[in-house]
Amino acid sequence: MEHVVGERLKLFWDSVEKTETCWLWKLAKNEDGYGRVSIKHKQYNAHRISLELHLARPLRDGFRALHESHDICGNRHCVNPAHLREGTMKENMIDRVKDGTSSHGTGSGCAKLTDTQVYDIRADTRPTALVASEYNVALSTIIRIRSRKTWSHLPDNSTK
């Protein structure tokens, strides 16, 4: 890959923890929980870079790196190329509906938290980073939930 060579390639793979099935991205994640990597001051999804490395070419124009169905892997920060495929945005939307990860009108993209968890997050007074780690979501997800920028359809007070 032209944009991932030498030391950058080593740094990329040093940022991956291989388990029996998934290859987990250990560094920064975006608000939806996907791994992020900066290359020459530009941000990329880590799973896209992994797939491009595996394919030994850039993705075709108009295509994205898609995760396989949740039957194979439902982990957003997995970069195992065996769990990835090249596909269109339309295919991604179909997959999201099929896997139950489509948006619930919250403005946050994929919703992986339950209503009860959102109420618990709102009530939790611990530091944002600790709460984000516990729920395996990005810091910005917790901030947006607490500020009612996402999950705004849930009332402030709940009996859960």
Side-chain angles (χ1 to χ4, degrees):
M1 305 278 28
E2 182 178 320
H3 58 276
V4 183
V5 292
E7 191 61 33
R8 287 190 184 100
L9 184 59
K10 181 183 179 333
L11 178 62
F12 181 86
W13 291 119
D14 286 348
S15 303
V16 174
E17 176 186 341
K18 292 183 179 180
T19 69
E20 287 184 29
T21 56
C22 292
W23 297 3
L24 305 177
W25 184 251
K26 298 187 297 186
L27 299 181
K29 296 171 187 70
N30 69 15
E31 62 274 359
D32 293 324
Y34 293 100
R36 297 295 289 167
V37 61
S38 179
I39 300 171
K40 294 186 178 181
H41 307 290
K42 186 173 178 188
Q43 293 289 312
Y44 296 91
N45 285 325
H47 63 285
R48 179 187 183 104
I49 300 301
S50 178
L51 184 59
E52 288 182 344
L53 289 169
H54 177 71
L55 296 172
R57 63 169 172 79
L59 298 183
R60 294 175 285 164
D61 286 341
F63 283 74
R64 300 168 165 255
L66 307 182
H67 283 89
E68 289 291 355
S69 78
H70 276 64
D71 297 335
I72 295 171
C73 171
N75 194 330
R76 293 181 185 184
H77 52 273
C78 178
V79 297
N80 183 342
H83 297 177
L84 305 171
R85 65 183 168 83
E86 188 173 17
T88 65
M89 178 59 106
K90 182 177 180 180
E91 290 172 303
N92 194 33
M93 294 297 111
I94 291 167
D95 290 348
R96 288 174 61 184
V97 170
K98 182 178 67 176
D99 289 336
T101 57
S102 62
S103 174
H104 290 132
T106 64
S108 63
C110 298
K112 74 176 196 178
L113 299 170
T114 66
D115 290 358
T116 300
Q117 289 173 317
V118 170
Y119 284 122
D120 290 344
I121 289 167
R122 287 180 181 174
D124 197 324
T125 59
R126 294 178 299 159
T128 303
L130 185 61
V131 176
S133 176
E134 180 176 317
Y135 289 92
N136 196 28
V137 297
L139 289 171
S140 59
T141 300
I142 302 301
I143 292 167
R144 286 197 307 258
I145 287 171
R146 288 177 168 171
S147 67
R148 310 314 195 259
K149 289 183 179 172
T150 57
W151 294 88
S152 58
H153 66 285
L154 295 180
D156 284 340
N157 296 326
S158 166
T159 57
K160 293 190 237 176

